[in-house]
Short mmCIF file of all heavy atoms in Angstrom, two decimals:
data_model
loop_
_atom_site.label_atom_id
_atom_site.label_comp_id
_atom_site.label_asym_id
_atom_site.label_seq_id
_atom_site.Cartn_x
_atom_site.Cartn_y
_atom_site.Cartn_z
N ARG P 7 -198.83 20.12 11.22
CA ARG P 7 -199.56 18.86 11.07
C ARG P 7 -201.00 19.09 10.64
O ARG P 7 -201.56 18.35 9.86
CB ARG P 7 -199.52 18.07 12.38
CG ARG P 7 -198.16 17.51 12.68
CD ARG P 7 -198.15 16.79 14.01
NE ARG P 7 -196.79 16.41 14.35
CZ ARG P 7 -196.36 15.18 14.15
NH1 ARG P 7 -197.11 14.25 13.60
NH2 ARG P 7 -195.10 14.86 14.50
N GLY P 8 -201.60 20.16 11.17
CA GLY P 8 -203.00 20.45 10.83
C GLY P 8 -203.20 20.84 9.41
O GLY P 8 -204.26 20.64 8.83
N ARG P 9 -202.15 21.43 8.78
CA ARG P 9 -202.23 21.90 7.42
C ARG P 9 -201.44 21.02 6.45
O ARG P 9 -201.17 21.42 5.33
CB ARG P 9 -201.72 23.37 7.34
CG ARG P 9 -202.64 24.28 8.16
CD ARG P 9 -202.15 25.68 8.14
NE ARG P 9 -202.02 26.20 6.77
CZ ARG P 9 -201.35 27.29 6.45
NH1 ARG P 9 -200.77 27.99 7.37
NH2 ARG P 9 -201.31 27.71 5.20
N TRP P 10 -201.04 19.84 6.88
CA TRP P 10 -200.17 19.00 6.08
C TRP P 10 -200.69 18.66 4.71
O TRP P 10 -200.00 18.65 3.73
CB TRP P 10 -199.73 17.78 6.84
CG TRP P 10 -198.70 17.02 6.06
CD1 TRP P 10 -198.80 15.79 5.50
CD2 TRP P 10 -197.41 17.54 5.70
NE1 TRP P 10 -197.63 15.48 4.81
CE2 TRP P 10 -196.80 16.54 4.89
CE3 TRP P 10 -196.75 18.69 5.93
CZ2 TRP P 10 -195.52 16.71 4.36
CZ3 TRP P 10 -195.48 18.85 5.37
CH2 TRP P 10 -194.89 17.85 4.60
N ASN P 11 -201.99 18.39 4.58
CA ASN P 11 -202.55 18.06 3.26
C ASN P 11 -202.31 19.18 2.26
O ASN P 11 -201.96 18.94 1.12
CB ASN P 11 -204.04 17.72 3.34
CG ASN P 11 -204.28 16.33 3.91
OD1 ASN P 11 -203.43 15.48 3.80
ND2 ASN P 11 -205.42 16.17 4.54
N GLU P 12 -202.50 20.39 2.71
CA GLU P 12 -202.23 21.57 1.84
C GLU P 12 -200.75 21.65 1.52
O GLU P 12 -200.38 21.85 0.35
CB GLU P 12 -202.66 22.84 2.62
CG GLU P 12 -202.38 24.09 1.86
CD GLU P 12 -202.70 25.34 2.69
OE1 GLU P 12 -203.43 25.26 3.68
OE2 GLU P 12 -202.19 26.46 2.31
N PHE P 13 -199.88 21.46 2.49
CA PHE P 13 -198.46 21.55 2.28
C PHE P 13 -197.95 20.45 1.37
O PHE P 13 -197.09 20.73 0.51
CB PHE P 13 -197.70 21.53 3.60
CG PHE P 13 -197.90 22.75 4.40
CD1 PHE P 13 -198.10 22.65 5.79
CD2 PHE P 13 -197.91 24.02 3.87
CE1 PHE P 13 -198.28 23.77 6.57
CE2 PHE P 13 -198.06 25.13 4.61
CZ PHE P 13 -198.28 25.00 5.97
N LYS P 14 -198.46 19.25 1.53
CA LYS P 14 -197.87 18.19 0.70
C LYS P 14 -198.26 18.38 -0.76
O LYS P 14 -197.49 18.05 -1.65
CB LYS P 14 -198.28 16.81 1.21
CG LYS P 14 -199.69 16.39 1.05
CD LYS P 14 -199.87 14.99 1.67
CE LYS P 14 -201.31 14.53 1.49
NZ LYS P 14 -201.50 13.19 2.12
N GLY P 15 -199.44 18.99 -1.03
CA GLY P 15 -199.75 19.32 -2.41
C GLY P 15 -198.83 20.34 -2.99
O GLY P 15 -198.33 20.21 -4.13
N LYS P 16 -198.49 21.40 -2.20
CA LYS P 16 -197.57 22.39 -2.64
C LYS P 16 -196.15 21.80 -2.84
O LYS P 16 -195.46 22.11 -3.80
CB LYS P 16 -197.46 23.53 -1.64
CG LYS P 16 -198.72 24.44 -1.62
CD LYS P 16 -198.53 25.53 -0.62
CE LYS P 16 -199.70 26.45 -0.55
NZ LYS P 16 -199.52 27.55 0.45
N ALA P 17 -195.76 20.92 -1.94
CA ALA P 17 -194.48 20.28 -2.01
C ALA P 17 -194.33 19.48 -3.30
O ALA P 17 -193.33 19.58 -3.98
CB ALA P 17 -194.24 19.38 -0.79
N LYS P 18 -195.37 18.72 -3.64
CA LYS P 18 -195.33 17.89 -4.84
C LYS P 18 -195.35 18.76 -6.09
O LYS P 18 -194.78 18.39 -7.13
CB LYS P 18 -196.48 16.89 -4.83
CG LYS P 18 -196.24 15.78 -3.80
CD LYS P 18 -197.46 14.90 -3.54
CE LYS P 18 -197.95 14.24 -4.77
NZ LYS P 18 -199.11 13.38 -4.48
N GLN P 19 -196.00 19.92 -6.05
CA GLN P 19 -195.99 20.85 -7.20
C GLN P 19 -194.62 21.43 -7.38
O GLN P 19 -194.15 21.60 -8.50
CB GLN P 19 -197.02 21.98 -6.99
CG GLN P 19 -198.44 21.57 -7.15
CD GLN P 19 -199.41 22.67 -6.82
OE1 GLN P 19 -199.00 23.78 -6.39
NE2 GLN P 19 -200.68 22.42 -6.96
N THR P 20 -193.96 21.80 -6.28
CA THR P 20 -192.65 22.42 -6.31
C THR P 20 -191.57 21.44 -6.78
O THR P 20 -190.69 21.76 -7.52
CB THR P 20 -192.28 23.00 -4.95
OG1 THR P 20 -193.30 23.89 -4.54
CG2 THR P 20 -190.97 23.71 -4.99
N HIS P 21 -191.67 20.19 -6.24
CA HIS P 21 -190.70 19.17 -6.56
C HIS P 21 -191.42 17.98 -7.16
O HIS P 21 -191.93 17.09 -6.43
CB HIS P 21 -189.93 18.73 -5.32
CG HIS P 21 -189.01 19.82 -4.78
ND1 HIS P 21 -187.76 20.04 -5.31
CD2 HIS P 21 -189.19 20.75 -3.83
CE1 HIS P 21 -187.22 21.07 -4.69
NE2 HIS P 21 -188.08 21.50 -3.77
N GLY P 22 -191.53 17.95 -8.49
CA GLY P 22 -192.30 16.92 -9.17
C GLY P 22 -191.87 15.50 -8.95
O GLY P 22 -192.62 14.56 -9.21
N ASN P 23 -190.66 15.30 -8.39
CA ASN P 23 -190.16 13.94 -8.16
C ASN P 23 -190.64 13.39 -6.80
O ASN P 23 -190.37 12.23 -6.51
CB ASN P 23 -188.61 13.89 -8.23
CG ASN P 23 -187.95 14.73 -7.18
OD1 ASN P 23 -188.51 15.71 -6.67
ND2 ASN P 23 -186.74 14.34 -6.82
N LEU P 24 -191.38 14.17 -6.02
CA LEU P 24 -191.89 13.66 -4.73
C LEU P 24 -193.11 12.83 -4.98
O LEU P 24 -194.00 13.22 -5.71
CB LEU P 24 -192.23 14.84 -3.79
CG LEU P 24 -191.03 15.65 -3.32
CD1 LEU P 24 -191.54 16.80 -2.45
CD2 LEU P 24 -190.05 14.82 -2.48
N THR P 25 -193.21 11.70 -4.29
CA THR P 25 -194.34 10.83 -4.39
C THR P 25 -195.21 10.94 -3.15
O THR P 25 -194.81 11.54 -2.16
CB THR P 25 -193.93 9.37 -4.57
OG1 THR P 25 -193.25 8.95 -3.37
CG2 THR P 25 -192.97 9.17 -5.72
N ASP P 26 -196.40 10.31 -3.16
CA ASP P 26 -197.24 10.28 -1.93
C ASP P 26 -196.50 9.63 -0.78
O ASP P 26 -196.60 10.07 0.36
CB ASP P 26 -198.52 9.53 -2.22
CG ASP P 26 -199.51 10.33 -3.07
OD1 ASP P 26 -199.41 11.59 -3.05
OD2 ASP P 26 -200.36 9.74 -3.72
N ASP P 27 -195.73 8.57 -1.09
CA ASP P 27 -194.98 7.90 -0.02
C ASP P 27 -193.88 8.84 0.56
O ASP P 27 -193.61 8.79 1.74
CB ASP P 27 -194.31 6.62 -0.56
CG ASP P 27 -195.32 5.52 -0.73
OD1 ASP P 27 -196.40 5.53 -0.08
OD2 ASP P 27 -195.02 4.57 -1.47
N ASP P 28 -193.29 9.66 -0.29
CA ASP P 28 -192.25 10.59 0.19
C ASP P 28 -192.81 11.58 1.18
O ASP P 28 -192.15 11.95 2.15
CB ASP P 28 -191.61 11.35 -0.96
CG ASP P 28 -190.81 10.49 -1.88
OD1 ASP P 28 -190.24 9.47 -1.42
OD2 ASP P 28 -190.77 10.84 -3.09
N VAL P 29 -194.04 12.08 0.92
CA VAL P 29 -194.59 13.13 1.77
C VAL P 29 -195.53 12.63 2.84
O VAL P 29 -196.17 13.43 3.50
CB VAL P 29 -195.32 14.23 0.87
CG1 VAL P 29 -194.29 14.92 -0.01
CG2 VAL P 29 -196.43 13.64 0.09
N LYS P 30 -195.58 11.31 3.04
CA LYS P 30 -196.42 10.77 4.06
C LYS P 30 -195.79 11.05 5.44
O LYS P 30 -194.65 10.70 5.67
CB LYS P 30 -196.61 9.23 3.87
CG LYS P 30 -197.55 8.64 4.83
CD LYS P 30 -197.95 7.21 4.49
CE LYS P 30 -196.82 6.28 4.38
NZ LYS P 30 -197.25 4.89 4.19
N TRP P 31 -196.57 11.64 6.29
CA TRP P 31 -196.12 11.95 7.67
C TRP P 31 -196.91 11.15 8.65
O TRP P 31 -198.14 11.33 8.80
CB TRP P 31 -196.31 13.44 7.96
CG TRP P 31 -195.67 13.95 9.19
CD1 TRP P 31 -195.56 13.28 10.36
CD2 TRP P 31 -195.07 15.21 9.38
NE1 TRP P 31 -194.89 14.05 11.28
CE2 TRP P 31 -194.58 15.27 10.70
CE3 TRP P 31 -194.91 16.31 8.60
CZ2 TRP P 31 -193.96 16.38 11.24
CZ3 TRP P 31 -194.26 17.43 9.10
CH2 TRP P 31 -193.81 17.43 10.42
N GLU P 32 -196.26 10.20 9.33
CA GLU P 32 -196.95 9.33 10.28
C GLU P 32 -196.52 9.72 11.70
O GLU P 32 -195.37 10.08 11.94
CB GLU P 32 -196.55 7.87 10.02
CG GLU P 32 -197.00 7.36 8.68
CD GLU P 32 -196.58 5.94 8.43
OE1 GLU P 32 -197.23 5.06 9.04
OE2 GLU P 32 -195.62 5.77 7.68
N GLU P 33 -197.50 9.63 12.59
CA GLU P 33 -197.24 9.96 13.99
C GLU P 33 -196.05 9.13 14.51
O GLU P 33 -195.96 7.91 14.32
CB GLU P 33 -198.48 9.64 14.81
CG GLU P 33 -198.47 10.13 16.21
CD GLU P 33 -198.52 11.65 16.33
OE1 GLU P 33 -199.19 12.28 15.46
OE2 GLU P 33 -197.90 12.20 17.22
N GLY P 34 -195.12 9.80 15.14
CA GLY P 34 -193.97 9.16 15.75
C GLY P 34 -192.85 8.76 14.82
O GLY P 34 -191.88 8.14 15.18
N LYS P 35 -192.98 9.14 13.53
CA LYS P 35 -191.98 8.77 12.54
C LYS P 35 -191.38 10.02 11.87
O LYS P 35 -191.10 10.03 10.70
CB LYS P 35 -192.57 7.85 11.47
CG LYS P 35 -192.99 6.50 12.04
CD LYS P 35 -193.31 5.51 10.97
CE LYS P 35 -193.62 4.14 11.55
NZ LYS P 35 -193.87 3.14 10.52
N ASP P 36 -191.21 11.07 12.65
CA ASP P 36 -190.68 12.34 12.14
C ASP P 36 -189.31 12.14 11.53
O ASP P 36 -189.04 12.67 10.45
CB ASP P 36 -190.63 13.39 13.22
CG ASP P 36 -192.01 13.78 13.74
OD1 ASP P 36 -193.01 13.29 13.15
OD2 ASP P 36 -192.09 14.53 14.72
N ASP P 37 -188.39 11.46 12.22
CA ASP P 37 -187.02 11.27 11.69
C ASP P 37 -187.05 10.51 10.39
O ASP P 37 -186.27 10.86 9.46
CB ASP P 37 -186.19 10.53 12.73
CG ASP P 37 -185.84 11.39 13.92
OD1 ASP P 37 -185.85 12.63 13.80
OD2 ASP P 37 -185.55 10.82 14.97
N GLU P 38 -187.90 9.55 10.26
CA GLU P 38 -188.00 8.82 8.98
C GLU P 38 -188.50 9.73 7.87
O GLU P 38 -187.94 9.70 6.75
CB GLU P 38 -188.99 7.67 9.15
CG GLU P 38 -189.06 6.73 7.97
CD GLU P 38 -190.02 5.56 8.27
OE1 GLU P 38 -189.93 4.93 9.30
OE2 GLU P 38 -190.88 5.31 7.37
N PHE P 39 -189.47 10.59 8.15
CA PHE P 39 -189.98 11.55 7.19
C PHE P 39 -188.85 12.51 6.74
O PHE P 39 -188.61 12.67 5.54
CB PHE P 39 -191.14 12.35 7.76
CG PHE P 39 -191.47 13.58 6.94
CD1 PHE P 39 -192.18 13.45 5.73
CD2 PHE P 39 -191.02 14.83 7.36
CE1 PHE P 39 -192.46 14.55 4.98
CE2 PHE P 39 -191.34 15.94 6.61
CZ PHE P 39 -192.05 15.81 5.44
N TYR P 40 -188.17 13.09 7.73
CA TYR P 40 -187.10 14.02 7.37
C TYR P 40 -186.00 13.32 6.60
O TYR P 40 -185.39 13.90 5.66
CB TYR P 40 -186.52 14.69 8.63
CG TYR P 40 -187.47 15.75 9.17
CD1 TYR P 40 -187.96 15.64 10.45
CD2 TYR P 40 -187.88 16.85 8.43
CE1 TYR P 40 -188.82 16.60 10.99
CE2 TYR P 40 -188.71 17.80 8.93
CZ TYR P 40 -189.19 17.63 10.25
OH TYR P 40 -190.06 18.61 10.71
N GLY P 41 -185.69 12.07 6.94
CA GLY P 41 -184.69 11.35 6.16
C GLY P 41 -185.07 11.15 4.73
O GLY P 41 -184.25 11.31 3.82
N ARG P 42 -186.34 10.80 4.50
CA ARG P 42 -186.82 10.64 3.12
C ARG P 42 -186.70 11.97 2.35
O ARG P 42 -186.26 12.02 1.19
CB ARG P 42 -188.28 10.18 3.09
CG ARG P 42 -188.51 8.77 3.37
CD ARG P 42 -189.92 8.30 3.00
NE ARG P 42 -190.98 9.18 3.47
CZ ARG P 42 -191.63 9.02 4.66
NH1 ARG P 42 -191.28 8.04 5.49
NH2 ARG P 42 -192.57 9.87 5.02
N MET P 43 -187.12 13.04 2.97
CA MET P 43 -187.08 14.34 2.32
C MET P 43 -185.65 14.76 2.08
O MET P 43 -185.32 15.30 1.01
CB MET P 43 -187.81 15.38 3.16
CG MET P 43 -189.30 15.08 3.35
SD MET P 43 -190.19 14.95 1.78
CE MET P 43 -190.31 16.67 1.32
N GLN P 44 -184.73 14.55 3.01
CA GLN P 44 -183.34 14.87 2.83
C GLN P 44 -182.75 14.15 1.63
O GLN P 44 -182.09 14.74 0.81
CB GLN P 44 -182.52 14.57 4.08
CG GLN P 44 -182.73 15.52 5.23
CD GLN P 44 -181.94 15.09 6.44
OE1 GLN P 44 -182.52 14.50 7.36
NE2 GLN P 44 -180.67 15.32 6.46
N THR P 45 -183.02 12.87 1.54
CA THR P 45 -182.52 12.03 0.46
C THR P 45 -183.10 12.52 -0.88
O THR P 45 -182.37 12.68 -1.82
CB THR P 45 -182.90 10.56 0.72
OG1 THR P 45 -182.29 10.12 1.90
CG2 THR P 45 -182.42 9.68 -0.47
N LYS P 46 -184.38 12.71 -0.94
CA LYS P 46 -185.07 13.11 -2.19
C LYS P 46 -184.67 14.49 -2.64
O LYS P 46 -184.49 14.72 -3.85
CB LYS P 46 -186.54 12.98 -1.98
CG LYS P 46 -187.35 12.85 -3.21
CD LYS P 46 -187.25 11.43 -3.78
CE LYS P 46 -188.27 11.24 -4.87
NZ LYS P 46 -188.49 9.87 -5.21
N LEU P 47 -184.55 15.42 -1.74
CA LEU P 47 -184.26 16.82 -2.11
C LEU P 47 -182.79 17.18 -2.07
O LEU P 47 -182.44 18.22 -2.54
CB LEU P 47 -185.07 17.75 -1.18
CG LEU P 47 -186.57 17.57 -1.17
CD1 LEU P 47 -187.22 18.51 -0.18
CD2 LEU P 47 -187.16 17.78 -2.58
N GLY P 48 -181.97 16.34 -1.42
CA GLY P 48 -180.54 16.67 -1.33
C GLY P 48 -180.28 17.82 -0.44
O GLY P 48 -179.41 18.62 -0.68
N LYS P 49 -181.05 17.94 0.65
CA LYS P 49 -180.92 19.07 1.57
C LYS P 49 -180.66 18.52 2.99
O LYS P 49 -180.94 17.39 3.28
CB LYS P 49 -182.19 19.87 1.61
CG LYS P 49 -182.54 20.54 0.28
CD LYS P 49 -183.82 21.33 0.36
CE LYS P 49 -184.21 21.96 -0.95
NZ LYS P 49 -183.54 23.19 -1.25
N THR P 50 -180.17 19.41 3.85
CA THR P 50 -180.01 19.03 5.25
C THR P 50 -181.34 19.07 5.94
O THR P 50 -182.35 19.63 5.39
CB THR P 50 -179.07 20.00 5.99
OG1 THR P 50 -179.69 21.28 6.04
CG2 THR P 50 -177.68 20.11 5.31
N LYS P 51 -181.44 18.56 7.14
CA LYS P 51 -182.71 18.57 7.89
C LYS P 51 -183.15 20.01 8.10
O LYS P 51 -184.33 20.32 7.92
CB LYS P 51 -182.58 17.85 9.22
CG LYS P 51 -183.88 17.79 9.99
CD LYS P 51 -183.79 17.02 11.28
CE LYS P 51 -185.08 17.04 12.03
NZ LYS P 51 -185.03 16.27 13.29
N ASP P 52 -182.24 20.88 8.49
CA ASP P 52 -182.60 22.29 8.70
C ASP P 52 -183.12 22.96 7.42
O ASP P 52 -184.08 23.72 7.47
CB ASP P 52 -181.40 23.10 9.22
CG ASP P 52 -181.05 22.74 10.65
OD1 ASP P 52 -181.92 22.18 11.39
OD2 ASP P 52 -179.93 22.97 11.07
N GLU P 53 -182.51 22.60 6.28
CA GLU P 53 -182.98 23.12 4.99
C GLU P 53 -184.39 22.62 4.67
O GLU P 53 -185.23 23.36 4.17
CB GLU P 53 -182.02 22.78 3.90
CG GLU P 53 -180.70 23.53 3.97
CD GLU P 53 -179.68 23.02 2.99
OE1 GLU P 53 -179.63 21.81 2.68
OE2 GLU P 53 -178.90 23.87 2.51
N VAL P 54 -184.66 21.34 4.98
CA VAL P 54 -185.98 20.77 4.74
C VAL P 54 -187.00 21.46 5.61
O VAL P 54 -188.07 21.84 5.14
CB VAL P 54 -185.95 19.24 4.97
CG1 VAL P 54 -187.39 18.67 4.97
CG2 VAL P 54 -185.12 18.52 3.96
N VAL P 55 -186.67 21.69 6.87
CA VAL P 55 -187.60 22.34 7.77
C VAL P 55 -187.89 23.77 7.30
O VAL P 55 -189.06 24.20 7.25
CB VAL P 55 -187.03 22.36 9.23
CG1 VAL P 55 -187.87 23.26 10.13
CG2 VAL P 55 -187.01 20.95 9.82
N SER P 56 -186.86 24.51 6.91
CA SER P 56 -187.05 25.85 6.41
C SER P 56 -187.89 25.84 5.13
O SER P 56 -188.78 26.70 4.96
CB SER P 56 -185.71 26.50 6.05
OG SER P 56 -184.97 26.73 7.25
N TRP P 57 -187.66 24.92 4.27
CA TRP P 57 -188.43 24.82 3.01
C TRP P 57 -189.90 24.53 3.30
O TRP P 57 -190.79 25.15 2.74
CB TRP P 57 -187.84 23.72 2.11
CG TRP P 57 -188.66 23.48 0.88
CD1 TRP P 57 -188.85 24.33 -0.15
CD2 TRP P 57 -189.41 22.27 0.64
NE1 TRP P 57 -189.68 23.72 -1.06
CE2 TRP P 57 -190.02 22.46 -0.61
CE3 TRP P 57 -189.61 21.08 1.31
CZ2 TRP P 57 -190.88 21.51 -1.17
CZ3 TRP P 57 -190.43 20.15 0.75
CH2 TRP P 57 -191.06 20.35 -0.49
N ILE P 58 -190.18 23.60 4.23
CA ILE P 58 -191.56 23.29 4.61
C ILE P 58 -192.22 24.55 5.21
O ILE P 58 -193.37 24.86 4.83
CB ILE P 58 -191.63 22.09 5.59
CG1 ILE P 58 -191.22 20.82 4.84
CG2 ILE P 58 -193.03 21.97 6.19
CD1 ILE P 58 -191.01 19.62 5.75
N ARG P 59 -191.52 25.23 6.04
CA ARG P 59 -192.06 26.49 6.60
C ARG P 59 -192.37 27.52 5.53
O ARG P 59 -193.34 28.23 5.62
CB ARG P 59 -191.11 27.06 7.65
CG ARG P 59 -191.10 26.30 8.92
CD ARG P 59 -190.28 26.97 9.96
NE ARG P 59 -190.41 26.22 11.25
CZ ARG P 59 -189.41 25.97 12.04
NH1 ARG P 59 -188.19 26.33 11.74
NH2 ARG P 59 -189.61 25.31 13.16
N SER P 60 -191.51 27.54 4.47
CA SER P 60 -191.73 28.52 3.40
C SER P 60 -192.99 28.22 2.65
O SER P 60 -193.59 29.10 2.06
CB SER P 60 -190.50 28.55 2.50
OG SER P 60 -190.49 27.47 1.59
N LEU P 61 -193.42 26.96 2.64
CA LEU P 61 -194.65 26.61 1.89
C LEU P 61 -195.81 27.26 2.51
O LEU P 61 -196.81 27.59 1.82
CB LEU P 61 -194.87 25.07 1.94
CG LEU P 61 -193.83 24.24 1.14
CD1 LEU P 61 -194.12 22.72 1.39
CD2 LEU P 61 -193.85 24.55 -0.30
N GLY P 62 -195.77 27.51 3.80
CA GLY P 62 -196.88 28.16 4.49
C GLY P 62 -196.94 29.64 4.26
O GLY P 62 -197.95 30.30 4.45
N THR P 63 -195.81 30.23 3.84
CA THR P 63 -195.74 31.65 3.66
C THR P 63 -195.80 32.02 2.18
O THR P 63 -195.79 33.19 1.83
CB THR P 63 -194.47 32.27 4.24
OG1 THR P 63 -193.34 31.67 3.57
CG2 THR P 63 -194.39 32.02 5.72
#
Side-chain angles (χ1 to χ4, degrees):
R7 288 176 187 265
R9 297 179 56 196
W10 186 244
N11 285 334
E12 176 185 344
F13 291 137
K14 71 181 180 181
K16 287 181 181 181
K18 288 169 59 178
Q19 287 175 357
T20 304
H21 293 278
N23 64 332
L24 293 175
T25 66
D26 286 335
D27 285 339
D28 293 330
V29 297
K30 183 168 60 172
W31 190 324
E32 297 179 75
E33 190 69 33
K35 294 190 176 184
D36 294 353
D37 288 337
E38 187 177 311
F39 166 77
Y40 286 120
R42 283 194 311 269
M43 296 303 284
Q44 286 177 258
T45 299
K46 201 75 168 196
L47 302 177
K49 297 180 183 278
T50 66
K51 183 177 179 180
D52 289 339
E53 290 171 325
V54 170
V55 170
S56 292
W57 173 69
I58 291 170
R59 286 186 175 138
S60 77
L61 293 175
T63 61

